[in-house]
Amino acid sequence: MAAWQVFTATLAMLAIMAITVMSLHHPTRDPDRLSVDRIRERISNERNTSPDPEPISNAWSHLAPEEPFGVSEAHRTMQQHRRCPVTECARKAAAFRALIDAGRIKPTRMPPALQ
């Protein structure tokens, strides 16, 4: 065989292999997977149905609340202030205390600011 024949045969084999691999690896559609439209609809419904009793300006404040937190408010505050240390953020400390009192958190060691 001449060199050009070997080269052509090799190129043909590589093309056939590439086509075979590409035909075997086609993405399948997962029926349980949510579409973007369904996710947007769900987020829109959650926003419309979940009442937000606190104004946004108070929600991100680090000051202690005027009234004790309920359990759901305390959970939301703990999520909103997840980066704040309990010892430095009075709002997170109040939420932490409310969750302890409700039995939702059982700390192994009590932060000094809450003792």
Side-chain angles (χ1 to χ4, degrees):
M1 269 189 165
W4 67 272
Q5 290 173 328
V6 172
F7 177 75
T8 305
T10 304
L11 205 58
M13 287 302 294
L14 287 174
I16 291 170
M17 287 173 43
I19 291 171
T20 304
V21 168
M22 289 174 62
S23 69
L24 294 176
H25 181 69
H26 58 84
T28 57
R29 183 141 191 173
D30 185 6
D32 296 330
R33 190 170 178 198
L34 294 176
S35 68
V36 174
D37 292 332
R38 286 184 58 199
I39 293 170
R40 285 183 182 149
E41 179 183 342
R42 193 175 82 191
I43 290 171
S44 174
N45 290 341
E46 286 175 3
R47 284 185 185 153
N48 293 338
T49 58
S50 64
D52 192 10
E54 264 186 296
I56 296 202
S57 60
N58 285 342
W60 293 104
S61 169
H62 296 285
L63 302 175
E66 295 173 6
E67 299 176 8
F69 283 124
V71 174
S72 63
E73 293 172 313
H75 277 293
R76 184 173 43 248
T77 301
M78 291 292 284
Q79 291 170 355
Q80 290 170 339
H81 292 265
R82 68 182 172 272
R83 292 188 177 149
C84 298
V86 175
T87 57
E88 295 175 17
C89 180
R91 194 164 200 85
K92 184 172 182 176
F96 193 76
R97 171 57 67 191
L99 292 174
I100 290 172
D101 294 344
R104 298 295 181 100
I105 294 178
K106 293 181 176 62
T108 55
R109 178 179 69 79
M110 191 65 122
L114 297 176
Q115 290 180 354

